[in-house]
């Protein structure tokens, strides 16, 4: 290579960041870390994951909003924070459309409904759980990763459909909720299927249902809500990568290409599969359209729930 040509190659920035609004060890965190590994030496020399937990993911989004639009800060977030929160919060510290640039979808997944040691081992189906709740009303509760998230609403819709007063307990991520469930502090948890998988072999966590239109390929022995008589509870969700608004096109395109390469790498696909996540990269336009469609689907449901 001619020395002048080498000199004209711009040096990679030292550090880029991926913000994650939920606790380490959960599906958002794992997605961020797997992709970060592949973005090193591509968009920057090092790529660090920052877990900014709290306010159901809003703190991380606020952090992205105030970050420089230089292509060196990304965020991975569930759809809920951008597609559902505008319908559930009077005021948000961000505008889900104006403040962010969609980059790429990351993964899709179904939700699971699990129970722990507070619920007897004889409870094997949703019908069993409903009967147990009616007999133990003071313990009829469920945890979710955040108030106003899709898993929260799936739990609420299940409780309503079953005629239960199923009390909601919000957490800072699904892993803390499952830890309390396995410790006997909360009866059940509604969260991404993959958050339960690592805990099933212990026997202290049992999955009673999944939320897809068909059985989940990562938990094929678990019947769906629909199979168990709850025909309207058919939901999935996605995580997406976003950047601050007004990021230069060159930086955006570099991130889109790097994330696509990461999410199609066999080792990343396999690692995400262990967490019940299907890797699914997209274009920025596809992600923007998906967010709009899901936001419009949830608006009337949230109104009906009255949250």
């Amino acid at each position: 290579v001619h020395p002048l040509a080498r000199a004209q190659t711009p040096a990679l920035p030292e550090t880029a960041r991926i913000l994650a609004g939920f606790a380490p060890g959960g599906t958002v965190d794992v997605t961020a870390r797997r992709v970060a590994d592949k973005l090193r030496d591509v968009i920057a020399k090092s790529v660090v994951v920052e877990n900014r937990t709290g306010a159901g993911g809003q703190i991380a989004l606020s952090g992205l909003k105030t970050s420089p639009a230089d292509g060196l800060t990304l965020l991975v977030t569930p759809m809920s924070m951008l597609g559902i929160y505008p319908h559930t919060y009077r005021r948000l510290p961000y505008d889900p459309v104006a403040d962010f640039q969609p980059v790429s979808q990351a993964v899709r997944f179904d939700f699971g409904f699990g129970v722990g040691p507070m619920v007897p081992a004889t409870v094997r189906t949703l019908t069993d759980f409903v009967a147990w709740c009616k007999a133990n009303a003071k313990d009829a509760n469920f945890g979710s990763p955040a108030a106003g998230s899709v898993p929260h609403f799936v739990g609420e819709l299940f409780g309503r459909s079953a005629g239960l007063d199923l009390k909601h307990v919000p957490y800072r991520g699904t892993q803390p909720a499952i830890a309390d469930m396995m410790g006997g502090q909360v009866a059940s948890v509604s969260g991404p299927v993959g958050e339960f998988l690592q805990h099933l072999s212990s026997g202290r966590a049992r999955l009673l249902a999944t939320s897809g239109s068909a059985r989940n390929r990562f938990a094929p022995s678990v019947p769906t809500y629909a199979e168990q008589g709850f025909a309207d509870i058919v939901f999935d969700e996605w995580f997406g990568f976003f950047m601050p608004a007004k990021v230069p096109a060159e930086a955006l395109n570099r991130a889109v290409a790097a994330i696509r390469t990461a999410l199609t790498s066999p080792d990343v696909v396999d690692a995400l599969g262990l967490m019940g996540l299907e890797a699914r990269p997209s274009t920025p336009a596809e992600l923007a359209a998906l967010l709009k469609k899901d936001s419009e689907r949830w608006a009337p449901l949230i109104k009906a729930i009255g949250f």
Side-chain angles (χ1 to χ4, degrees):
V1 179
H2 191 279
L4 279 177
R6 187 181 293 119
Q8 286 165 359
T9 305
L12 271 181
E14 285 299 320
T15 308
R17 304 178 299 159
I18 299 179
L19 307 181
F22 295 91
T27 46
V28 173
D29 176 69
V30 167
T31 302
R33 289 177 193 282
R34 289 296 177 179
V35 172
D37 287 344
K38 297 291 185 183
L39 300 192
R40 283 189 189 104
D41 296 323
V42 178
I43 65 169
K45 289 177 189 172
S46 76
V47 181
V48 298
V49 174
E50 291 184 13
N51 298 89
R52 296 201 184 177
T53 64
Q58 292 182 47
I59 288 172
L61 280 152
S62 297
L64 183 68
K65 175 186 170 179
T66 55
S67 295
D70 57 6
L72 296 178
T73 305
L74 287 146
L75 164 119
V76 63
T77 181
M79 179 277 294
S80 305
M81 285 78 244
L82 296 168
I84 287 186
Y85 283 12
H87 307 302
T88 58
Y89 287 91
R90 280 197 199 89
R91 234 186 252 100
L92 285 172
Y94 54 83
D95 181 310
V97 176
D99 289 335
F100 307 117
Q101 168 61 56
V103 180
S104 172
Q105 191 181 351
V107 296
R108 72 152 297 281
F109 54 91
D110 297 330
F111 299 104
F113 190 83
V115 295
M118 187 189 285
V119 179
T122 51
V123 172
R124 297 176 177 277
T125 66
L126 293 178
T127 304
D128 294 344
F129 181 71
V130 170
W132 178 82
C133 285
K134 288 181 174 172
N136 299 270
K138 72 177 185 349
D139 294 327
N141 56 38
F142 76 101
S144 86
S149 63
V150 175
H152 170 197
F153 288 130
V154 169
E156 291 280 358
L157 290 168
F158 163 56
R160 283 170 183 246
S161 300
L164 291 176
D165 178 18
L166 198 56
K167 293 172 195 71
H168 176 238
V169 185
Y171 284 84
R172 288 188 172 196
T174 312
Q175 285 304 310
I178 290 175
D180 271 8
M181 182 188 82
M182 291 169 65
Q185 279 89 49
V186 67
S188 60
V189 169
S190 174
V193 167
E195 302 267 9
F196 295 93
L197 298 180
Q198 62 191 301
H199 302 296
L200 297 178
S201 59
S202 73
R204 296 184 68 76
R206 314 191 309 277
L207 266 181
L208 300 187
T210 58
S211 69
S213 54
R215 290 200 180 195
N216 186 277
R217 68 186 176 97
F218 302 110
S221 64
V222 181
T224 63
Y225 280 95
E227 278 181 81
Q228 299 183 69
F230 297 91
D232 293 336
I233 302 181
V234 180
F235 296 102
D236 62 3
E237 198 180 1
W238 48 265
F239 299 157
F241 283 97
F242 293 81
M243 283 177 153
K246 301 186 174 60
V247 68
E250 184 189 344
L252 172 63
N253 293 337
R254 187 164 59 244
V256 171
I259 289 168
R260 178 170 292 277
T261 299
L263 291 173
T264 52
S265 303
D267 58 326
V268 173
V269 171
D270 291 347
L272 293 174
L274 293 174
M275 293 292 285
L277 305 169
E278 289 178 34
R280 193 171 287 194
S282 75
T283 66
E286 286 166 343
L287 179 56
L290 188 58
L291 176 57
K292 183 173 185 290
K293 176 176 149 246
D294 282 352
S295 184
E296 288 169 355
R297 182 193 179 193
W298 273 101
L301 287 172
I302 290 159
K303 201 170 178 185
I305 292 167
F307 178 73

